[in-house]
Each structure stands twice: as C-alpha cells, then as structure tokens.
C-alpha cells in the first residue's frame, strides 16, 4: 500500500481528513502539475466497490456520510500506475 509520496504517479496525493465521517478529499501536494485525469475507486473491507469515478481531476470530494464505519481502501489509477490508500470512516 502507498500513502502518498512522489513517484510514478507524480505529485504526492493527499487523502484528508483521515479518519473522516462526512467527506473525503483527494488532492495533491502543491505543484504546477495538476493535469491529467485519474480513476478513483473506494472499496470496503470486503473489496466491494462503494464509490467509483472514472475520470477524476483533482481536487475531488467523495461523500462518505452514508457509509458504515470501518476501514476502506481508496484505489487511485493513473494510466498503468495505481496506488492504494487506507481510509478510516468513523461516526
């Protein structure tokens, strides 16, 4: 799992707040390179898709208030690269 950092995906991704109860924001560290789209998938602990955005441009806000508490996994896909970020939802 990746929690950010530069590399093949470009600028480090920021997934905040974590833990969250209402909304999850995906953005990148300040840089001049906020171009290109990516695919976002939010999976529950059973690997079931609970949110999908095929062509996202940062920043993205994901509503999570309707989801039960637990551990979720945000998969960020850009081209052939992907990273996974663990997200906690607490009420």
């Amino acid at each position: 799992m990746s929690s950010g950092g530069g590399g093949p995906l470009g600028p480090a991704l920021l997934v905040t707040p974590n833990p969250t109860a209402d909304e999850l924001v995906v953005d990148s560290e300040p840089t001049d390179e906020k171009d290109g789209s990516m695919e976002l998938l939010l999976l529950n602990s059973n690997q079931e898709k609970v949110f999908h955005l095929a062509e996202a441009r940062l920043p993205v806000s994901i509503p999570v208030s309707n989801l039960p508490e637990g551990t979720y996994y945000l998969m960020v896909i850009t081209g052939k690269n992907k990273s996974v970020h663990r997200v906690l939802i607490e009420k």
Side-chain angles (χ1 to χ4, degrees):
M1 268 197 282
S2 171
S3 60
L9 291 176
L13 287 177
L14 304 174
V15 181
T16 58
N18 191 9
T20 187
D22 299 315
E23 181 178 73
L24 189 63
V25 177
V26 181
D27 202 353
S28 64
E29 290 182 347
T31 177
D32 294 336
E33 300 178 25
K34 276 200 179 183
D35 56 346
S37 68
M38 59 186 61
E39 182 177 5
L40 298 176
L41 291 157
L42 186 62
L43 308 172
N44 64 19
S45 59
N46 295 323
Q47 301 299 305
E48 298 166 330
K49 181 173 34 175
V50 296
F51 177 86
H52 179 234
L53 190 56
E55 292 190 27
R57 292 203 178 267
L58 299 178
V60 173
S61 196
I62 301 172
V64 297
S65 60
N66 62 327
L67 298 174
E69 283 189 341
T71 301
Y72 292 77
Y73 300 93
L74 177 67
M75 186 177 299
V76 181
I77 303 166
T78 56
K80 294 180 182 178
N81 301 308
K82 72 178 177 179
S83 65
V84 179
H85 305 263
R86 192 178 77 163
V87 176
L88 297 175
I89 296 180
E90 297 179 347
K91 303 296 178 171

